[in-house]
Amino acid sequence: MVLLEVENLKTYYYTLRGPVRAVDNVSFELEKGRVLGIAGESGCGKSTLAWSILGLVPPPGRIVSGSIVLDGIDIVKLSEDELRSKIRWKKVSMIFQGAMNSLNPVYTAGAQIEEVLIYHGRMSKADARRRVYELLESVGLDRSLANRYPHELSGGQKQRVVIAMALALEPDIVIADEPTTALDVVVQAQILNLMKKLQREKGISIILITHDLSVIAEMADEVAIMYAGKIVEYGSSEQIFYKPRHPYTHLLMKAVPKLKGVKESLIYIPGQPPDLMNPPKGCRFKPRCPWAMDICDKDPEEFNLEEGRRVACWLEKTSGGLKVKS
Ligand code: SF4
């Protein structure tokens, strides 16, 4: 069952030098109970996409066109009041990037979760406190932590509090923006396992945004690879990791260090992502693409390869796809 349908979404930041096309014609679907991983380098528009879904694009940004249909409602057409009362926290919540610093240092962990329950869930103070205890226990924390301030919690505990807050009103979708950045690998594994457990138990859908492909491999059912504001490849986790069809995806996979097998020099993608105020004509990856051709000066068409699998690259038309050993 499709829960969220994003179609031809464009979100731009209007600066004095011109518009920055941070999200440019992005479409995807999210099914109930599935995890969609969105991967790409920093600055490719992943976080702006997440803010668009919550109606939280900071000025001077705004959604220019397209639709974001959640449960039959186009969020783009809702007013700020409607977004606040019907969508945020209740239908979609977010674990923000740098969540460890997103807790308010002058309120206890419990008070911050309570605030969501009282102001957005219209609960009484007593019911909210009971629910805080339930939520803390559901993320593996002792209820006594409700009375601690953020500086009294470890990094992993703070992250669990933020996850508890995101789950407070039982949303259908949780957007997790770099949920494990700045955590050591042991805590990172604990948090990912916790998210998987909660996702299975509660049947929520997750949009997982990260530049860390190992996190995507661990969690995601479907993967969207973003480059310079566009989704350049989309498919199941197996398809993307074992048989990438876009040169950018292929090079990203090659850049991941391998623990087993013969030691090889690390591969990197030369150059930088383009300035989204003046992106290159045609394919935005062309200046960095070893397979670039003359036709790449035109916007690549999107090729549907099989059910749920698509790629935007001219190689599909000119030579039947990328031919490399993955
Ligand atoms: Fe490379 Fe051309 Fe494909 Fe872009 S469209 S990724 S430049 S081959």
Side-chain angles (χ1 to χ4, degrees):
M1 186 187 118
V2 175
L3 196 59
L4 177 76
E5 205 174 344
V6 175
E7 225 180 302
N8 302 328
L9 183 71
K10 293 186 180 183
T11 305
Y12 294 175
Y13 294 94
Y14 287 88
T15 69
L16 291 175
R17 285 176 52 223
V20 177
R21 299 163 176 86
V23 172
D24 208 4
N25 225 5
V26 162
S27 302
F28 67 88
E29 289 178 351
L30 176 66
E31 292 192 16
K32 187 167 171 44
R34 306 286 286 179
V35 179
L36 169 67
I38 300 182
E41 285 164 281
S42 300
C44 70
K46 304 185 298 291
S47 295
T48 300
L49 177 57
W51 298 332
S52 303
I53 296 170
L54 279 163
L56 281 177
V57 181
R62 65 179 164 86
I63 294 176
V64 178
S65 61
S67 59
I68 302 171
V69 178
L70 172 64
D71 239 354
I73 301 169
D74 187 354
I75 296 177
V76 174
K77 296 193 175 125
L78 297 184
S79 65
E80 175 56 28
D81 276 354
E82 287 171 318
L83 282 168
R84 201 179 305 130
S85 61
K86 294 181 186 159
I87 304 294
R88 286 183 209 135
W89 298 103
K90 294 189 179 117
K91 295 251 179 211
V92 190
S93 67
M94 185 153 173
I95 301 168
F96 285 93
Q97 196 169 15
M100 292 199 335
N101 301 320
S102 67
L103 292 170
N104 189 326
V106 297
Y107 290 103
T108 61
Q112 297 186 57
I113 305 174
E114 250 174 42
E115 189 181 313
V116 175
L117 295 164
I118 293 170
Y119 290 104
H120 296 271
R122 308 237 171 273
M123 275 190 192
S124 68
K125 177 104 176 133
D127 286 346
R129 184 43 55 152
R130 266 193 296 277
R131 179 87 179 116
V132 167
Y133 293 148
E134 275 172 29
L135 283 162
L136 288 177
E137 283 166 4
S138 76
V139 297
L141 294 175
D142 191 90
R143 55 172 63 192
S144 63
L145 265 66
N147 298 321
R148 296 222 196 133
Y149 289 89
H151 72 271
E152 297 176 296
L153 303 174
S154 68
Q157 286 171 332
K158 276 189 258 195
Q159 194 70 355
R160 284 170 193 259
V161 168
V162 172
I163 292 173
M165 204 185 292
L167 296 175
L169 296 180
E170 304 191 331
D172 299 323
I173 300 172
V174 173
I175 303 175
D177 191 0
E178 305 282 5
T180 53
T181 302
L183 296 176
D184 67 59
V185 283
V186 175
V187 180
Q188 188 177 75
Q190 288 170 355
I191 294 294
L192 291 180
N193 284 337
L194 170 68
M195 285 175 61
K196 272 201 278 192
K197 176 172 162 277
L198 294 170
Q199 185 253 337
R200 272 198 303 269
E201 284 174 4
K202 297 181 188 299
I204 49 174
S205 309
I206 296 180
I207 298 177
L208 177 65
I209 293 174
T210 180
H211 61 267
D212 186 341
L213 291 173
S214 61
V215 172
I216 296 258
E218 183 74 26
M219 293 277 300
D221 299 304
E222 279 81 37
V223 180
I225 302 290
M226 273 190 91
Y227 185 75
K230 292 182 179 286
I231 291 180
V232 293
E233 184 163 9
Y234 185 97
S236 71
S237 224
E238 290 77 21
Q239 290 166 336
I240 297 285
F241 280 93
Y242 292 116
K243 222 166 178 310
R245 294 286 286 252
H246 193 280
Y248 178 59
T249 317
H250 167 71
L251 293 171
L252 271 187
M253 300 298 164
K254 285 279 176 203
V256 176
K258 295 193 176 43
L259 292 177
K260 294 181 187 162
V262 185
K263 280 189 189 161
E264 293 170 1
S265 304
L266 277 182
I267 303 245
Y268 67 99
I269 308 176
Q272 305 259 343
D275 175 1
L276 292 180
M277 206 176 284
N278 286 306
K281 203 162 73 100
C283 175
R284 293 183 178 181
F285 190 54
K286 187 178 176 195
R288 304 170 78 187
C289 179
W291 290 270
M293 307 164 277
D294 288 345
I295 193 176
C296 305
D297 282 334
K298 284 204 306 187
D299 269 344
E301 282 172 25
E302 199 165 78
F303 296 88
N304 290 311
L305 305 175
E306 53 199 281
E307 184 67 26
R309 173 109 163 104
R310 55 181 214 257
V311 61
C313 172
W314 284 120
L315 285 173
E316 295 299 326
K317 185 166 184 167
T318 57
S319 49
L322 184 65
K323 305 259 182 332
V324 285
K325 275 210 266 171
S326 298

